[in-house]
Amino acid sequence: MTPLSLLARLGRSTLAALAMIGRVALFTVSAFTHMLRPPYYPRELALSFLQIGWLSLPVVALTAVFTGGALALQIYAGGARFNAEAVVPQIVAIGMVRELGPVLVGLMIAARVTSSIAAEIATMKVTEQIDALVTLSTNPMQYLVAPRVLAALLTVPVLVGIGDIIGIAGGYTVSVHNLGFNSAAYLKNTVDFLEPLDLISSLVKGAFFGVIAATMGCYYGMQSGRGAQGVGSATKSSVEAAAVLILATNFILTGVFFSL
Amino acid sequence: MTAMTNGNAPHPMIKMDQVHKAFGDNRVLRGMDLTIPKGSSMVIIGGSGTGKSVALKSVLGLITPDSGEIYVDGKPAGSGDRDAFLARFGMLFQGGALFDSLPVWQNVAFRLMRGALKRPAHEAREIAIEKLRRVGLKPDVADRLPAELSGGMQKRVGLARAIAAEPEIIFFDEPTTGLDPIMSGVINDLIREIVVEMGATAMTITHDMSSVRAIADNVAMLHDGVIQWTGPVADMDQSGDPYLDQFIHGRAEGPIEAVR
């Protein structure tokens, strides 16, 4: 391979990546503009709240409680190396609220919701249900995409808040029952240490991650190729894209909230 | 449904003029011309991959032609209000394209529960049940989900949905694909009866010669992206066109290349 052809290939890949970013950005803008204008589909929105919010609670709760418990054990063991075991409540609180709560909830939503949305919409595309919607004078962006993105925008922050609380509760349970911490002192240290900005950053991250998860599911579903392979590929790509974007956005938002 | 045979040239409901469409290097439509008189039933035949579905979706605006003009009732397709344009059409999709998550009656009444034609739910349900009866389904089917129905029943539900809003133009995409010969005959007869009693203009694409003879007033054969032959169904067997003869008699030998 000559240096020139290598350069050409690099250029093509870069242009393709930029075009992809442009398409996703336009799709996201379109999803938001369709949210704001009628007709509205309350039944679809209610179903999306149920699917994205309520039915995600068990997996979010289990992820958070085990993560909080493991975090307490790790901080206790690590802190013991320099006699700092007492910082467990503070580090569990800040770790869960600032980072692990939003990121793990985001990733679980990407696994559960993004995949489900992408597979559902891709199947609808493959079986011509999207075309059928259009022939029935119904805009798929308005009927399928807008309710899902709006529901994710509103429910994922709530799930993150619940995940934060359950994660802290997991750390508390392990610390009090296994590591010998005093219950009242643990709770007081947790509450005293957390600041409003910690909670705000957590919820804002949740909103961003929710939009990313739903948008990626809808985008890849709508772009699906033909047949079972097309549906599988759309689902896989949507989860990959959502997970990477959630982690990258988390890095950026952490910088915005805590490094300025 | 004898608009082409009653002497005076009737007003064309659909007119395609030099329509071209390519997907990458694959030139599917290469200057397709077609005229469908108001109130007549046109059946388009042709081999797999010859662009029949592309032609049909181009009229609806689901696919945008690269060049050429399409007129509906004398006006360029897609001009004016999109919802009003689509409200003139009903379509039966090849696989039914029923919405999995909705019960049968909501599929049938989909257009009647949203947008400009919206009416109260009980009224929409009554119309849906009446249309289900019209296609030979009992009212107890109304509350079932599409997945609980056989292929033939799904086609009937698709047909009921296509006629629910009493459209002026109805498209049928491979209406008998996947059905046994008896059920194919039933669907063909239903289509014929419904189109006649509604006075609608119909455009059907199919490979099934029994459908052609049951449904068509006029036939057009699409080959190599252009209309190879068109005329009244009564003239089809004496056309003298070698392409049409080969197709309607299902011969492997002839001007159309058959891949073995």
Side-chain angles (χ1 to χ4, degrees), chain A residues 39-44 47 120 123-125 127-139 143-144 148 226, chain B residues 57 60 62 82-84 86-87 89 91 93-103 106-107 110-111 114 161 173:
Chain A
Y40 306 109
Y41 296 103
R43 181 185 173 275
E44 294 304 309
L47 281 175
E120 183 184 0
T123 305
M124 289 183 76
K125 177 145 193 241
T127 56
E128 297 190 300
Q129 291 178 54
I130 304 276
D131 284 346
L133 276 178
V134 175
T135 63
L136 293 165
S137 307
T138 302
N139 184 335
Y143 183 74
L144 295 174
R148 284 164 173 79
R226 289 181 179 182
Chain B
K57 289 181 178 179
L60 284 168
L62 295 172
R82 176 92 175 128
D83 284 352
L86 288 169
F89 291 86
M91 178 154 176
F93 285 85
Q94 185 174 348
L98 302 177
F99 305 123
D100 310 320
S101 59
L102 299 179
Q106 287 189 25
N107 265 281
F110 193 90
R111 198 196 281 276
R114 295 160 182 84
R161 183 173 70 183
D173 185 359

